[in-house]
Amino acid sequence: MTDLGIAFKDVFGRAPEGCWAAPGRVNLIGEHTDYNDGHVLPFALAQTTRAAVARRDDGLLRVHSADMDGGVVELRLDDLAPGRAAGWATYPAAVLWTLREAGHPVGGADIHYDSTVPVGGGLSSSAALQVVTGLALGDLHGVDITRQELALLCQRSENVYVGAPVGVMDQTASACCTEGHALHLDVRGLEQRQVPLDLVGAGLTLLVADTRVKHAHADGAYAALRSGCEAAAAALGLASLRDVPYEGLDAALAALPDEPDGRLRRLTRHIVTENRRVEEVIALLDAGRIREIGPVLTAGHVSLRDDFRISCPELDLVVDTVLACGALGARMTGGGFGGSAIALVPAEQAGAVTAAVQAALPAARVFPATPSRGAHPLARA
């Protein structure tokens, strides 16, 4: 029995029927474009959330996490409903409810989790928790859905049950990424393409600096950004800001109503230029010119800081520090209001850059990011 299976038995007094894993993600470029029907380019981390699971037939969901205080959380399936919060257990409860609401014959379960994905770091710990739960329950109950369908189901669980208006990027990355690649997802049509991302072959390291400044997607700030983007698209008579061509950006900005802080113009400028940056990075990766993506990453940070206004002093400090130490490019990654920054650095300078970040921000956790595989089974009894 695996260490995860032993931990499950210690908690629930029986062996699990199987174990599964789903990764967190780093978004290389394409921030807040997913809920604007745009382009994103994430890759899966080696850090994962793991779940050991066994089915129940008494209408109960019992969940336990090695990383959370409070012991076993017990919920009745008949009581699950949107808006009923249960702390961290809201996320697995939401996935189970959404599977059942979609007509899939999923029953109760005992689930034990552990995770190496930093919580609150902007690295999709919640998506990893959702996807590993959906994959495990789906496999145990013979649910026949694709990985993209699994991602959409998990997105719906967070939108409807949890009440966070997130896009589908995080769940898709956790479910669908492949080792050694970034995933180009065109959100409007859900077309996917695996783009080679050979950092080692290029003599590079992508560092993640988790500032340990916490953020929460379910708060009003994220929702306000999304509603602002939707308002800008409506003012332009468009379905989404995805429909503003890069060449038509100036005309679109001129057509938006005047506001004291130019909010709609700022949001629009970020989304349109960020979609363009995704295209630029993909073209450079396809051409084998990976080092040249650095300035594009940095331009993305400037846009998130100045136009979207979702950076924070700690993230800006990390970006400024790594660039001063010779990083080829750097930017905040994730939803914003805290979380993590990434830095593309020559491999031989990774140690010095890490030390500089930790000197500037002692609370930061810095580690290399390796493009890894998406969700997968670990073992079945």
Side-chain angles (χ1 to χ4, degrees):
M1 189 181 298
T2 66
D3 62 328
L4 186 64
I6 292 170
F8 177 98
K9 188 173 182 180
D10 288 342
V11 172
F12 294 112
R14 59 178 177 141
E17 294 180 75
C19 300
W20 291 259
R25 66 96 187 95
V26 158
N27 192 19
L28 188 62
I29 195 75
E31 217 64 80
H32 288 267
T33 48
D34 59 343
Y35 58 79
N36 286 282
D37 285 347
H39 299 271
V40 294
L41 193 66
F43 65 86
L45 289 167
Q47 288 78 6
T48 64
T49 295
R50 304 189 303 170
V53 188
R55 288 169 289 184
R56 299 183 64 89
D57 59 7
D58 59 357
L60 293 179
L61 171 66
R62 300 195 302 173
V63 294
H64 179 268
S65 172
D67 308 295
M68 297 292 181
D69 296 331
V72 175
V73 179
E74 182 173 298
L75 302 167
R76 293 195 58 81
L77 270 59
D78 290 344
D79 295 337
L80 300 183
R84 294 193 177 181
W88 70 269
T90 303
Y91 287 92
V95 172
L96 195 154
W97 176 85
T98 307
L99 278 164
R100 289 165 63 87
E101 193 227 11
H104 299 299
V106 176
D110 287 338
I111 310 177
H112 170 72
Y113 300 95
D114 66 17
S115 183
T116 53
V117 184
V119 175
L123 302 173
S124 296
S125 59
S126 60
L129 177 58
Q130 294 165 41
V131 169
V132 76
T133 302
L135 180 63
L137 293 175
D139 282 357
L140 285 175
H141 290 89
V143 175
D144 185 18
I145 57 174
T146 68
R147 289 303 179 87
Q148 183 64 76
E149 290 169 339
L150 171 63
L152 288 166
L153 182 148
C154 290
Q155 180 202 15
R156 176 171 171 76
S157 78
E158 191 160 0
N159 290 167
V160 176
Y161 196 105
V162 180
V166 299
V168 75
M169 174 185 69
D170 295 350
Q171 295 87 351
T172 302
S174 186
C176 301
C177 280
T178 61
E179 185 175 358
H181 294 79
L183 175 67
H184 174 208
L185 175 66
D186 182 339
V187 175
R188 170 161 286 171
L190 296 178
E191 293 91 357
Q192 295 185 18
R193 178 180 163 232
Q194 304 290 341
V195 181
L197 181 60
D198 184 6
L199 295 164
V200 174
L204 299 171
T205 298
L206 191 82
L207 294 175
V208 175
D210 177 9
T211 66
R212 299 185 187 265
V213 175
K214 302 304 181 185
H215 71 284
H217 282 170
D219 68 13
Y222 190 102
L225 290 168
R226 181 164 187 162
S227 64
C229 290
E230 292 169 350
L236 295 169
L238 301 172
S240 74
L241 291 179
R242 153 69 178 269
D243 295 316
V244 179
Y246 180 76
E247 297 75 12
L249 176 58
D250 288 343
L253 296 179
L256 287 167
D258 291 328
E259 296 176 290
D261 68 347
R263 179 169 174 266
L264 295 187
R265 290 193 175 103
R266 289 189 289 101
L267 296 179
T268 299
R269 183 164 50 239
H270 169 72
I271 296 301
V272 175
T273 58
E274 187 78 346
N275 277 319
R276 182 59 170 259
R277 283 186 284 272
V278 175
E279 295 172 350
E280 291 173 349
V281 169
I282 290 170
L284 289 169
L285 293 178
D286 284 341
R289 296 157 57 189
I290 186 170
R291 287 175 173 257
E292 296 177 44
I293 73 172
V296 187
L297 303 184
T298 304
H301 182 76
V302 172
S303 182
L304 289 163
R305 182 192 67 200
D306 297 346
D307 279 340
F308 237 55
R309 299 185 181 178
I310 59 170
S311 189
C312 66
E314 294 86 354
L315 287 169
D316 293 341
L317 176 61
V318 169
V319 169
D320 292 344
T321 299
V322 300
L323 292 175
C325 289
L328 303 177
R331 73 174 193 91
M332 60 153 286
T333 187
F337 314 108
S340 298
I342 58 173
L344 185 70
V345 303
E348 65 274 12
Q349 293 178 233
V353 172
T354 297
V357 170
Q358 292 177 327
L361 191 67
R365 175 192 177 199
V366 185
F367 59 91
T370 303
S372 301
R373 67 189 293 196
H376 56 279
L378 296 171
R380 286 292 295 270

